[in-house]
Amino acid sequence: MRIELASLDETPVSPCIGVCRMDADGLCIGCRRTLAEIARWGTMSNDDRKRWMREQQPLRPPPRP
């Protein structure tokens, strides 16, 4: 039996850095997603995830100290 490894294009994309706490603005202090976006992430295509990371994530304010 031969097992094919997934290409990098098939690797699930995520902005998660393992710092999972919500701030007062309702955004995760690590990835800057809302709870709704985090919940929806598992059903999104990699193209949609990449689009969110390219278009939405840069617009999010940095975490407050």
Side-chain angles (χ1 to χ4, degrees):
M1 180 164 98
R2 184 174 168 197
I3 298 175
E4 301 265 341
L5 296 177
S7 73
L8 290 178
D9 291 337
E10 296 172 2
T11 303
V13 177
S14 176
C16 181
I17 60 170
V19 180
C20 305
R21 288 193 317 258
M22 304 309 284
D23 67 13
D25 297 321
L27 298 172
C28 173
I29 64 170
C31 66
R32 309 308 291 156
R33 293 179 290 172
T34 65
L35 283 175
E37 289 167 336
I38 293 168
R40 187 173 56 242
W41 204 258
T43 64
M44 293 169 65
S45 70
N46 275 347
D47 286 341
D48 288 340
R49 293 172 184 179
K50 290 175 187 175
R51 185 177 307 106
W52 183 92
M53 292 174 70
R54 183 178 61 248
E55 297 174 3
Q56 297 298 316
Q57 192 176 29
L59 301 176
R60 300 296 164 95
R64 297 179 193 176

